[in-house]
Amino acid sequence: MGPLESNMVRSSRFHFAAVFTLTCIAFYAIIQALPPSFIKPINEHTAFILGLVLNALGIHASTANDTVSEGGLAFRLIPECTPIFTVGLFISFVVFYPTTFREKATGLAWVIPALYLGNLVRLVVTFLVSRYDRSLFEVFHVFLGQIFTMLLLILCCILWLRWVDTGVLKREKAMGTARFLASFSLISAFLFLIWLKVHHEYIRLLDWLMNLGFSLFGRSAGLARGTLVYYETFSIVIVVSLILAARSVPWRRKIPMLGAGLGLLFLIHLFHRIDNALMALYNITAIQPLDLTGLIIGQYVVPVLLLIYLVRLQRQDVPTVNAFNR
């Protein structure tokens, strides 16, 4: 491959990642900017299906609009409880990936239902666990919402990429994918338990920096820290686990990725705490859509961009032509 072809390859890869990222950002920003009435039907549909499944399992749950309840237990479903964010991301991933229309259509046909069913499974499990012991709700809500959801999304992306590459899932590549996913699952579960214990110190650091900034303007930004689990910070577990699970990538490449990924998440989380302070203390809500969009980007887009980069690193020494250098 000559210099001109090499430049075209790099340009194609960059073009895909850039368009994919910008599309996801625009999609998430639109969702956050829309009035609640536009998203409410999706929430209500998810609640209705959840209620049907729970009743099919013998649980006499009732559904009213976007709320599913049984006895004293009630779940009010918000956009994050629906598959809209993962489905939107995968559609952007497939539509802008350099491959054929048939391969795109096939990927969407089997992955969208898988993401829908996966989201339903996590809601059912969370409801069942909370019904058994309500003190477990926060832990299972975060674990299934972050770890399980991203594992499913990453699995779908990798399997589709493997299929696009070869037309079939060859045994050797399937085993490599299985090892990576197994490593990711084990590492993320371990880090999840650790982060569950220490992430309050991370919030204290963010608040210290926020207070320092507010003090420069003669203001105070003290926020109460009574939340059992800070859901938004667990994107850190996903990013670190994803990088550590890529065993074939050398540490000289992993360290810059860790720095970039964690640095970006740190800025997103700091911005979120600043937004919380502005809303709680000064009733300023103008930047809330931007804040929520940033959190969703940190939860979904950043890990998938890392996955794209990791796949490219693992392929760059392979002499055969693949989808990344078409």
Side-chain angles (χ1 to χ4, degrees):
M1 181 180 293
L4 179 59
E5 293 173 303
S6 180
N7 288 335
M8 291 174 62
V9 168
R10 286 193 292 270
S11 176
S12 175
R13 286 197 300 262
F14 176 79
H15 178 264
F16 162 66
V19 175
F20 161 73
T21 302
L22 292 175
T23 302
C24 287
I25 292 174
F27 174 69
Y28 293 151
I30 289 172
I31 290 177
Q32 299 298 340
L34 286 173
S37 58
F38 281 84
I39 306 299
K40 188 176 180 181
I42 301 175
N43 300 341
E44 293 179 346
H45 167 78
T46 305
F48 174 74
I49 298 300
L50 175 59
L52 286 181
V53 173
L54 291 173
N55 278 276
L57 295 175
I59 299 172
H60 301 295
S62 60
T63 304
N65 298 322
D66 58 359
T67 302
V68 180
S69 60
E70 189 232 4
L73 178 64
F75 274 21
R76 181 176 176 271
L77 303 187
I78 61 176
E80 286 80 358
C81 301
T82 74
I84 187 171
F85 294 119
T86 54
V87 168
L89 183 145
F90 190 79
I91 291 175
S92 300
F93 186 88
V94 168
V95 166
F96 295 107
Y97 195 82
T99 190
T100 66
F101 176 80
R102 183 182 72 85
E103 291 169 335
K104 295 176 190 288
T106 301
L108 294 175
W110 64 263
V111 170
I112 291 179
L115 294 174
Y116 181 91
L117 291 175
N119 183 73
L120 183 59
V121 167
R122 80 172 176 99
L123 293 178
V124 170
V125 172
T126 303
F127 194 97
L128 293 176
V129 170
S130 302
R131 186 172 179 260
Y132 172 74
D133 187 345
R134 296 183 189 183
S135 66
L136 296 175
F137 167 75
E138 289 289 351
V139 174
F140 272 82
H141 177 239
V142 174
F143 183 81
L144 295 176
Q146 291 274 355
I147 309 300
F148 172 77
T149 298
M150 287 309 304
L151 175 62
L152 178 62
L153 181 60
I154 290 168
L155 171 64
C156 291
C157 289
I158 291 178
L159 290 180
W160 183 74
L161 288 175
R162 295 297 194 196
W163 178 74
V164 167
D165 259 358
T166 62
V168 295
L169 290 176
K170 293 184 177 180
R171 185 175 183 276
E172 182 180 352
K173 290 192 173 184
M175 289 299 294
T177 299
R179 285 193 295 269
F180 172 78
L181 292 172
S183 297
F184 173 81
S185 300
L186 292 174
I187 294 171
S188 60
F190 176 71
L191 292 180
F192 174 83
L193 295 175
I194 294 177
W195 192 245
L196 197 62
K197 297 294 184 181
V198 304
H199 76 292
H200 288 87
E201 299 303 321
Y202 176 69
I203 293 295
R204 288 189 178 91
L205 172 62
L206 293 175
D207 286 356
W208 179 81
L209 290 172
M210 178 181 66
N211 286 325
L212 182 63
F214 271 76
S215 68
L216 297 177
F217 300 94
R219 300 281 185 173
S220 175
L223 286 176
R225 291 190 291 268
T227 304
L228 179 62
V229 178
Y230 290 91
Y231 186 94
E232 66 276 3
T233 69
F234 282 79
S235 52
I236 289 176
V237 173
I238 301 297
V239 166
V240 174
S241 301
L242 195 59
I243 295 173
L244 295 182
R247 293 184 296 176
S248 62
V249 177
W251 277 102
R252 62 183 175 82
R253 292 185 181 272
K254 285 184 178 181
I255 292 176
M257 282 191 290
L258 283 169
L262 294 178
L264 179 57
L265 292 180
F266 181 84
L267 293 177
I268 290 174
H269 297 155
L270 179 60
F271 183 74
H272 178 60
R273 293 300 286 176
I274 293 173
D275 182 44
N276 283 345
L278 292 175
M279 288 190 297
L281 303 176
Y282 305 107
N283 200 30
I284 299 175
T285 61
I287 63 172
Q288 186 180 23
L290 180 61
D291 170 30
L292 296 178
T293 300
L295 290 179
I296 298 299
I297 291 169
Q299 182 179 349
Y300 297 110
V301 180
V302 172
V304 173
L305 284 175
L306 278 174
L307 177 66
I308 293 170
Y309 185 62
L310 289 170
V311 172
R312 181 177 73 84
L313 289 179
Q314 292 176 333
R315 289 174 171 178
Q316 64 183 4
D317 295 327
V318 179
T320 56
V321 176
N322 55 60
F324 272 107
N325 56 14
R326 289 182 180 182

